[in-house]
Amino acid sequence: MYRSRIRVTLRPSILDPQGKAVGHAIQALGVTAVRSVRMGKFIELMVDGTTEDEARAATEEVCRRLLANPVMEDFTYELEKM
Amino acid sequence: MYRSRIRVTLRPSILDPQGKAVGHAIQALGVTAVRSVRMGKFIELMVDGTTEDEARAATEEVCRRLLANPVMEDFTYELEKM
């Protein structure tokens, strides 16, 4: 069993209106040190698999086919043996 | 300038219907190795600050006051000097 921690982020060239809105809210709170905000998704999977390669293959297939939109998003992940 | 990478996750005791739905979609794709799915948010901040302590303080204030709901969510973050 592996835990797979996935981050799905917008590609740098893609506008992020949600991040802009959160950035304005942060300024309104009075936290002036924050320069920019980008929003993404975080997904944690528990993956069966006796080897790291099996867990890696399942994670990448799920990211490519379901979790990330390849036109506008990138994904990264970390595996941890449980 | 620091980059702050924040993960906001539901507390373990909180039901995650979105994660359940994604889990069903993964099974429907035929990826049977995935046992469970938990959905969260990923936020990347660029934070002004000459010291790591300043960046850490701004990040934690924003998480506590805006990004995470303390009743049902936890947050973790990593700082990286740019």
Side-chain angles (χ1 to χ4, degrees), chain A residues 1 5 7-9 18 22 25-26 29-49 54 58-59 61-62 65-67 78, chain B residues 1 5 7-9 18 22 25-26 29-49 54 58-59 61-62 65-67 78:
Chain A
M1 183 74 81
R5 292 194 159 118
R7 300 186 294 208
V8 177
T9 51
Q18 190 188 3
V22 171
I26 290 172
L29 281 182
V31 183
T32 54
V34 175
R35 280 285 152 269
S36 74
V37 182
R38 301 281 287 176
M39 301 295 291
K41 288 178 286 187
F42 174 71
I43 305 113
E44 196 172 272
L45 306 180
M46 299 301 295
V47 186
D48 262 352
E54 286 171 5
T59 300
E61 183 174 0
V62 165
R65 293 178 63 194
L66 187 74
L67 298 176
E78 293 144 26
Chain B
M1 182 74 81
R5 291 192 159 119
R7 300 187 293 209
V8 178
T9 50
Q18 191 187 3
V22 170
I26 290 172
L29 281 180
V31 183
T32 55
V34 175
R35 279 285 154 270
S36 74
V37 182
R38 299 282 288 177
M39 303 293 293
K41 289 178 284 186
F42 174 72
I43 304 112
E44 195 172 273
L45 305 179
M46 299 301 296
V47 185
D48 263 351
E54 286 171 4
T59 299
E61 183 174 2
V62 165
R65 294 179 63 194
L66 188 73
L67 298 176
E78 293 144 25

Side-chain angles (χ1 to χ4, degrees), chain B residues 41-82:
Chain B
K41 289 178 284 186
F42 174 72
I43 304 112
E44 195 172 273
L45 305 179
M46 299 301 296
V47 185
D48 263 351
T50 46
T51 70
E52 193 171 315
D53 280 351
E54 286 171 4
R56 191 174 298 282
T59 299
E60 294 202 4
E61 183 174 2
V62 165
C63 286
R64 276 189 287 100
R65 294 179 63 194
L66 188 73
L67 298 176
N69 173 348
V71 176
M72 44 195 276
E73 293 175 326
D74 293 314
F75 64 87
T76 58
Y77 62 91
E78 293 144 25
L79 287 176
E80 182 190 353
K81 187 154 178 57
M82 302 302 288

